[in-house]
Amino acid sequence: MQLKKYSLLPAIIVVLAMISSCKKTFLDLNPLDQVTEAAYFTSPDQFKAASNDFYNKMVGFRPLNSSNIYDWEDKGSDIIGGGYGWPVTSNQTDIYWNNPYSYIRENNVLLEKGKAYKGSYADIRPYLAAAYFFRAWQHFFLLKRFGGVPIDTIVVDVNSPVLKGPRNSRYEVTKQILQDLDSAIAGLPLEASIAAADKGHVSQQAAKAFKARVELYEGTYEKYVGKATDGDGSATGAGSAGYDPAGVTNYLTDAASLASQVMGYSDYQLFTGVDSLSNYYLFVLDDALSNPKGLTKTANKEFILASKYDYTLLQGNANLTHTGAGGPTRKFADMFDCTDGLPPSVSPLFQGYAHMEDEFQNRDWRMRFVVGTPNHKYWGFGTAYGSNYTLANYETLFNWPSNINVAYPDLTLGGSGYGNRKFSSEAPNRADYQESYDYPQIRLAEVYLIYAEAKCELGNGSISDADLNLSINKVRARAGVAPLTNALIAPYPSLTMLGEIRRERTIELVNEGDRFYDLYRWGTAEAELNPPAEGMHVVYNGQPTQIATFTNPYTNKAAYNPASYPFGVDAATGALLLFLPPKTPMTKKNYLTSIPQDQINLNKSLLQNPGY
């Protein structure tokens, strides 16, 4: 294995640590035995090495500067965990304020050095474009979390006005993000032009896809939330300077256009695999032993941009298989369509909940990949439990009737009864915390979903079958689900086209860090997050379900222990109540996190978000 093939990994950024060590103070002389910024940025390779570190500053499997390792998950939402994962009180400190600005400084340093570079601009152009891309990336992270924030486009020193200046509005921040992405698009190479040794670097298509994501987010936020979280900019919040009433239409139109452009490139393809059971190995493709078909990472053409991990150079360090990525709720399990393309609430194919496996029959294939099927045995993980695909046919292996595997929470643990499967590995040559598959930052399936949602929003809830076939139906097809059409849902008053597109987005992108922000931008967080979360049905049609009476032969214990559920069973649905409604309900205030108090203490011009 040649190291240069993993040029984005921190293992090769030792030189950057040397650079950082020379940023202690502006009073230091340049030590003759150390590299300095002034001496370092003199060749294209040095610009490239510095830009490589930007890729390590995206939230992925590994923690960033003591950040929460699982903040890319959807835990605490209505679909995973069912907890109360939204901001409630004012934060005294927040690494998610400090970290992005630290990373933005690195972007600005590279851009500043580019202005002084004596060589050919063309030689460093892609690395400067990457700096624009990641400066936009970090500002967007701040925008989603805090709303309007101070825009930082210079190398700040102690006298810089930005350190004592007010917050920019969300509209001004969005404008800056889009300007940076335009600069990135102009300077980045197409995927096809990126050398094999540099694959994984950000491409022009990735910048277009990310710009489409930003515009869909802001367009729908402005449409459904509007100025409700802005504050007046005088007493609270960042205000509404720069607001444009035409922004919604302009953003959504451009989002659809950019998504269409990315969809037109042949460089990226939905990972369709070779059979119905291996479609979602794209999330855990590592080496040839990580899946029954002997596929490696090269088989995945769906990831447009990913955080790269490697067993030798940079492991995931997340223990995702044994600790899981949060327990799905009943609400989430009910979101998976039946194979006829209709949700369980209206589909004649739905089998109900009487037996443990009934609700998994005739369903979207993704259900069995994301939610562990009761009474099915899954291979474990690591040398003690790992799979040996030479011992059994793949189909036989995954349909081997057995007890509920102890690696997945059963109901005695007070969980939902549904076990998470997404990002769960079966590699026999990997142990805990050794995940080496890549984390998707932007993938083609999301681009299809952006296109469909933007088109439907522009159509005031309507979209043509032709546009559905260009986008969302490709994602549904690989999941074994019938196409979404206008005629399909027309007979059912409870179904809307926009609702079905949002449903599709939710199940496709689960545990990729989108659920909370989707609910915020749709303005539906209060309705979706305030009701109590539920787990599996222990009563169905007035009778106890199999899960309520089942004895796990592996543990010789009842699968269902009523004492583990202090809130009992929902009388209306027969499902386990996991939580009561929150003591502090979700409101519009909670769409944004508070500005950390330590930052307000340092800069009196920073105004707190409304309600905190």
Side-chain angles (χ1 to χ4, degrees):
M1 181 183 299
Q2 296 180 355
L3 188 61
K4 65 180 182 179
K5 292 184 178 180
Y6 291 88
S7 59
L8 307 184
L9 301 172
I12 71 163
I13 313 299
V14 175
V15 174
L16 291 178
M18 297 169 58
I19 300 172
S20 298
S21 69
C22 301
K23 299 180 183 177
K24 296 177 182 177
T25 171
F26 292 97
L27 300 179
D28 283 349
L29 297 176
N30 293 339
L32 297 180
D33 62 340
Q34 294 184 26
V35 180
T36 67
E37 286 180 2
Y40 183 75
F41 289 96
T42 59
S43 73
D45 284 345
Q46 291 167 339
F47 277 87
K48 178 181 181 180
S51 70
N52 282 343
D53 192 44
F54 302 158
Y55 296 83
N56 306 316
K57 303 303 168 56
M58 298 181 288
V59 173
F61 292 140
R62 295 181 65 87
L64 297 174
N65 295 353
S66 302
S67 61
N68 188 329
I69 193 171
Y70 294 126
D71 271 5
W72 50 267
E73 294 178 341
D74 295 324
K75 281 184 178 178
S77 70
D78 55 329
I79 61 172
I80 300 293
Y84 313 132
W86 54 85
V88 175
T89 59
S90 180
N91 294 325
Q92 293 302 305
T93 62
D94 192 336
I95 57 172
Y96 292 135
W97 178 282
N98 298 336
N99 284 1
Y101 279 114
S102 173
Y103 306 151
I104 288 170
R105 177 182 173 80
E106 296 174 13
N107 307 145
N108 289 335
V109 166
L110 191 67
L111 291 169
E112 188 68 25
K113 296 302 177 182
K115 296 176 183 177
Y117 183 61
K118 303 299 184 182
S120 169
Y121 177 78
D123 292 339
I124 63 171
R125 185 179 185 183
Y127 314 124
L128 300 180
Y132 281 117
F133 176 88
F134 285 105
R135 189 168 75 181
W137 186 276
Q138 299 300 343
H139 274 109
F140 185 55
F141 182 93
L142 289 165
L143 175 73
K144 291 192 298 180
R145 187 170 180 86
F146 301 107
V149 293
I151 295 172
D152 183 8
T153 59
I154 63 172
V155 180
V156 174
D157 62 30
V158 294
N159 297 313
S160 297
V162 69
L163 293 181
K164 296 297 181 181
R167 300 164 61 183
N168 293 95
S169 73
R170 67 175 305 112
Y171 314 101
E172 293 169 330
V173 175
T174 299
K175 182 179 179 181
Q176 180 63 49
I177 291 170
L178 298 181
Q179 287 178 348
D180 278 350
L181 288 175
D182 285 340
S183 297
I185 291 168
L188 287 169
L190 291 170
E191 182 68 44
S193 300
I194 297 177
D198 291 330
K199 287 298 184 185
H201 283 86
V202 64
S203 66
Q204 184 181 123
Q205 294 100 317
K208 288 182 176 181
F210 180 51
K211 187 179 178 185
R213 177 192 290 176
V214 172
E215 291 185 308
L216 178 70
Y217 176 86
E218 186 60 21
T220 51
Y221 197 99
E222 291 185 22
K223 180 175 182 177
Y224 293 108
V225 184
K227 302 177 183 179
T229 58
D230 289 352
D232 58 14
S234 298
T236 63
S240 304
Y243 171 75
D244 181 0
V248 172
T249 299
N250 292 339
Y251 289 148
L252 294 174
T253 300
D254 199 45
S257 175
L258 288 165
S260 178
Q261 292 176 43
V262 176
M263 287 155 50
Y265 287 99
S266 60
D267 306 88
Y268 313 105
Q269 303 162 17
L270 287 181
F271 182 88
T272 53
V274 287
D275 58 47
S276 64
L277 292 174
S278 65
N279 264 319
Y280 280 76
Y281 271 98
L282 85 159
F283 293 113
V284 290
L285 280 179
D286 187 353
D287 60 14
L289 295 179
S290 66
N291 61 90
K293 299 298 179 181
L295 303 175
T296 63
K297 292 182 181 183
T298 59
N300 180 7
K301 306 296 184 184
E302 183 168 332
F303 289 2
I304 299 174
L305 180 66
S307 292
K308 311 291 285 186
Y309 296 94
D310 178 78
Y311 179 72
T312 302
L313 299 175
L314 183 70
Q315 297 172 9
N317 193 33
N319 196 19
L320 295 173
T321 300
H322 281 161
T323 60
T329 63
R330 182 194 62 78
K331 176 179 179 178
F332 181 59
D334 285 347
M335 284 186 175
F336 293 92
D337 284 335
C338 293
T339 53
D340 59 4
L342 295 170
S345 60
V346 298
S347 173
L349 299 182
F350 183 58
Q351 299 296 300
Y353 308 97
H355 295 88
M356 289 188 292
E357 300 176 48
D358 284 353
E359 63 180 302
F360 290 81
Q361 305 304 312
N362 306 324
R363 299 293 291 277
D364 184 321
W365 290 342
R366 285 170 292 190
M367 186 173 185
R368 74 186 75 160
F369 303 129
V370 176
V371 182
T373 308
N375 208 39
H376 281 221
K377 184 172 183 177
Y378 293 90
W379 286 109
F381 174 75
T383 55
Y385 304 102
S387 56
N388 184 338
Y389 295 116
T390 65
L391 296 181
N393 175 273
Y394 181 43
E395 285 78 7
T396 302
L397 190 108
F398 255 75
N399 287 279
W400 186 2
S402 183
N403 47 278
I404 299 175
N405 193 309
V406 293
Y408 302 91
D410 62 24
L411 297 176
T412 61
L413 301 179
S416 68
Y418 297 108
N420 177 72
R421 288 290 302 160
K422 191 167 182 177
F423 294 116
S424 291
S425 174
E426 297 177 356
N429 56 340
R430 300 286 186 263
D432 293 347
Y433 298 98
Q434 291 182 346
E435 292 87 357
S436 304
Y437 38 89
D438 298 337
Y439 176 79
Q441 297 290 354
I442 304 173
R443 58 188 179 96
L444 184 59
E446 181 194 357
V447 177
Y448 285 131
L449 294 167
I450 289 172
Y451 179 84
E453 185 179 347
K455 281 289 190 178
C456 194
E457 289 285 4
L458 288 167
N460 293 317
S462 298
I463 182 174
S464 70
D465 287 349
D467 278 332
L468 291 169
N469 289 336
L470 282 174
S471 56
I472 196 171
N473 283 334
K474 293 183 178 181
V475 181
R476 288 164 71 95
R478 74 161 172 190
V481 178
L484 177 61
T485 66
N486 285 279
L488 178 70
I489 65 172
Y492 305 101
S494 62
L495 304 183
T496 66
M497 185 58 73
L498 187 58
E500 292 310 294
I501 290 173
R502 290 177 176 180
R503 177 203 302 271
E504 189 71 31
R505 178 180 174 89
T506 300
I507 61 177
E508 178 65 31
L509 300 181
V510 62
N511 268 338
E512 295 182 43
D514 292 291
R515 183 59 174 173
F516 279 111
Y517 294 117
D518 281 346
L519 296 180
Y520 298 158
R521 68 184 177 88
W522 295 333
T524 61
E526 296 95 323
E528 301 293 347
L529 296 175
N530 283 328
E534 296 183 350
M536 275 190 165
H537 285 261
V538 292
V539 177
Y540 180 60
N541 287 338
Q543 299 296 319
T545 63
Q546 184 187 20
I547 199 69
T549 60
F550 179 71
T551 297
N552 187 333
Y554 192 87
T555 62
N556 202 33
K557 294 181 180 179
Y560 169 47
N561 179 7
S564 297
Y565 298 90
F567 308 121
V569 177
D570 187 316
T573 66
L576 293 166
L577 280 170
L578 305 180
F579 300 94
L580 292 179
K583 293 180 179 179
T584 305
M586 161 65 66
T587 65
K588 286 289 188 296
K589 155 195 166 179
N590 308 110
Y591 285 20
L592 299 177
T593 299
S594 65
I595 305 300
Q597 187 60 45
D598 65 339
Q599 297 301 314
I600 294 176
N601 294 342
L602 291 170
N603 177 8
K604 302 302 182 183
S605 297
L606 292 178
L607 299 178
Q608 186 56 273
N609 277 324
Y612 287 99

